[in-house]
């Protein structure tokens, strides 16, 4: 399966910084963000050009078998995520994510056509909650997401990594799955939600409903309205389904274990649950980074990273 680390191609960063440099709506926010590291407004263009030169060098030799070996260290993705986190109050990142994916695929079709159909994960970027990540595996084009930076709480990080591994295994299973496959996703999602937003102590003890409702509400500014509507609908009755699955007792409305188990046995049935918890994790990362600078970024990270991508020229 490989290590769950966000190591991306130089092509991803070339296209990402090019897109950011061209977006006037975010110019003031980006200038302020870059200034915190001592960079001026031209940095985005300079960085994009440096990564593009690295990519063009790599593209001469890259093929499906060697593609992952050309991925850059995770520190490149950490810097990009920190910059993106400064935009978390600018709306959602879904369109930027789609534009980035399109730009990467178009460049692949020209510079390395053998990779266009292969889609190595180092060239499968995604931005959720203003956190840069990669889509691991080929089961779904949007999940599971390995973010460049994980939440600060090591327990939440460990649990989320387990969820990513679980979703990766789904690609090896034929639908319809044993219900316990879907039940496990519900249990882990509920645990992560409660860890991310613990309910206040009683009275009243609102438990998991408080956690889920808080996270869904926080996501409203981080996702497009049509996706927020779907997430809200999915999680409106989610806690009740989860409780029946975990406690194996009928709900007050008469929903039985068999009723709930029948709703967690295909990807279509649990996709929004995975999408939701992924969004919650990623928006938590950008929230943590919004007002903080990781130690690795405090001493001119670009000076080090630029030397790294120039070593083979």
């Amino acid at each position: 399966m490989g290590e769950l680390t966000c190591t991306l191609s130089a092509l991803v960063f070339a296209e990402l910084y090019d897109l950011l440099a061209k977006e006037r709506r975010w110019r003031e926010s980006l200038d302020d963000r870059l200034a915190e590291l001592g960079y001026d407004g031209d940095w985005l263009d300079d960085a994009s050009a440096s990564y593009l030169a690295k990519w063009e060098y790599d593209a001469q030799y890259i093929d499906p078998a060697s593609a992952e070996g050309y991925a850059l260290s995770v520190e490149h993705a950490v810097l990009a995520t920190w910059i993106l986190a400064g935009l978390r109050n600018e709306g959602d990142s879904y369109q930027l994510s789609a534009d980035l994916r399109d730009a990467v695929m178009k460049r692949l079709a020209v510079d390395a056509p053998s990779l266009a159909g292969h889609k190595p994960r180092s060239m499968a970027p995604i931005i959720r909650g203003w956190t840069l990540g990669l889509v691991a595996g080929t089961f779904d084009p949007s999940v599971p997401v390995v973010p460049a930076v994980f939440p600060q709480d090591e327990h939440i990080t460990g649990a989320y990594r387990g969820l990513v591994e679980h979703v990766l295994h789904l690609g090896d299973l034929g639908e319809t799955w044993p219900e316990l496959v879907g039940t496990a996703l519900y249990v882990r999602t509920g645990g992560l939600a409660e860890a991310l937003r613990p309910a206040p102590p009683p009275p009243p003890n609102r438990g998991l409903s408080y956690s889920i409702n808080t996270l869904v509400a926080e996501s409203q500014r981080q996702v497009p309205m049509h996706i927020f509507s779907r997430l809200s609908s999915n999680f409106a009755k989610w806690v009740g389904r989860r409780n029946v699955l975990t406690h194996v007792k009928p709900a007050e409305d008469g929903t039985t274990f068999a009723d709930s188990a029948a709703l967690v046995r295909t990807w279509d049935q649990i996709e929004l649950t995975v999408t939701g918890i992924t969004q919650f994790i990623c928006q938590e990362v950008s929230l943590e980074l919004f007002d903080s600078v990781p130690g690795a970024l405090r001493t001119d990270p670009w000076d080090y990273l630029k030397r790294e991508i120039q070593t083979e020229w």
Side-chain angles (χ1 to χ4, degrees):
M1 180 181 299
E3 186 179 1
L4 295 178
T5 305
C6 184
T7 51
L8 292 162
S9 166
L11 175 58
V12 171
F13 301 104
E15 298 296 348
L16 172 62
Y17 292 136
D18 182 61
L19 287 168
L20 292 178
K22 292 176 178 177
E23 183 51 76
R24 294 184 178 182
R25 290 178 301 162
W26 305 327
R27 173 52 57 190
E28 183 176 352
S29 295
L30 284 169
D31 284 349
D32 290 343
R33 193 67 166 172
L34 293 171
E36 292 186 47
L37 298 179
Y39 305 153
D40 61 26
D42 294 330
W43 183 89
L44 291 169
D45 288 317
D46 293 342
S48 178
S50 295
Y51 282 114
L52 183 58
K54 169 63 172 169
W55 161 251
E56 289 175 342
Y57 178 87
D58 291 347
Q60 303 173 79
Y61 311 103
I62 200 165
D63 58 36
S66 64
E68 299 304 343
Y70 286 89
L72 301 177
S73 64
V74 69
E75 286 77 14
H76 294 267
V78 172
L79 173 59
T81 287
W82 185 84
I83 293 170
L84 288 170
L87 300 175
R88 74 181 318 274
N89 293 326
E90 300 286 347
D92 71 80
S93 59
Y94 275 66
Q95 188 59 55
L96 176 62
S97 182
D99 291 344
L100 176 59
R101 177 68 68 93
D102 288 346
V104 168
M105 294 307 295
K106 287 178 181 178
R107 178 76 70 166
L108 279 179
V110 174
D111 295 347
S114 66
L115 297 180
H118 179 67
K119 296 181 182 177
R121 71 180 192 176
S122 61
M123 298 173 194
I126 193 166
I127 304 171
R128 287 293 180 264
W130 296 102
T131 292
L132 178 64
L134 61 77
V135 179
T138 58
F139 183 68
D140 185 280
S142 300
V143 290
V145 171
V146 178
V149 181
F150 285 87
Q152 295 172 2
D153 187 309
E154 63 179 324
H155 309 297
I156 293 175
T157 290
Y160 178 71
R161 284 180 177 273
L163 184 142
V164 171
E165 292 173 350
H166 187 70
V167 175
L168 284 172
H169 284 305
L170 295 182
D172 299 326
L173 299 178
E175 296 182 347
T176 304
W177 308 319
E179 60 81 16
L180 198 54
V181 171
T183 295
L185 278 167
Y186 264 60
V187 172
R188 180 55 53 87
T189 295
L192 282 166
E194 289 184 307
L196 286 167
R197 293 294 178 272
N205 188 351
R206 289 167 283 179
L208 181 56
S209 292
Y210 171 90
S211 303
I212 289 291
N213 291 340
T214 300
L215 289 165
V216 171
E218 291 176 3
S219 74
Q220 185 167 7
R221 295 185 62 187
Q222 302 292 324
V223 299
M225 185 53 64
H226 70 281
I227 295 178
F228 177 73
S229 177
R230 294 181 67 210
L231 288 177
S232 296
S233 178
N234 177 69
F235 284 106
K237 298 181 179 180
W238 191 91
V239 175
R241 293 196 299 269
R242 183 264 192 182
N243 287 344
V244 171
L245 289 169
T246 55
H247 302 313
V248 198
K249 291 184 178 180
E252 292 182 0
D253 64 2
T255 301
T256 66
F257 176 82
D259 295 332
S260 295
L263 297 177
V264 294
R265 303 190 67 182
T266 67
W267 178 244
D268 287 344
Q269 292 172 330
I270 55 89
E271 177 187 4
L272 282 173
T273 294
V274 177
T275 297
I277 194 59
T278 301
Q279 176 67 38
F280 303 155
I281 288 288
C282 289
Q283 67 192 35
E284 182 70 8
V285 169
S286 67
L287 178 63
E288 292 176 349
L289 291 180
F290 186 73
D291 291 320
S292 65
V293 180
L297 301 185
R298 291 175 183 164
T299 55
D300 195 6
W302 179 234
D303 181 59
Y304 162 74
L305 296 178
K306 192 172 182 179
R307 289 199 303 270
E308 180 183 333
I309 64 176
Q310 288 177 330
T311 54
E312 297 181 14
W313 297 8

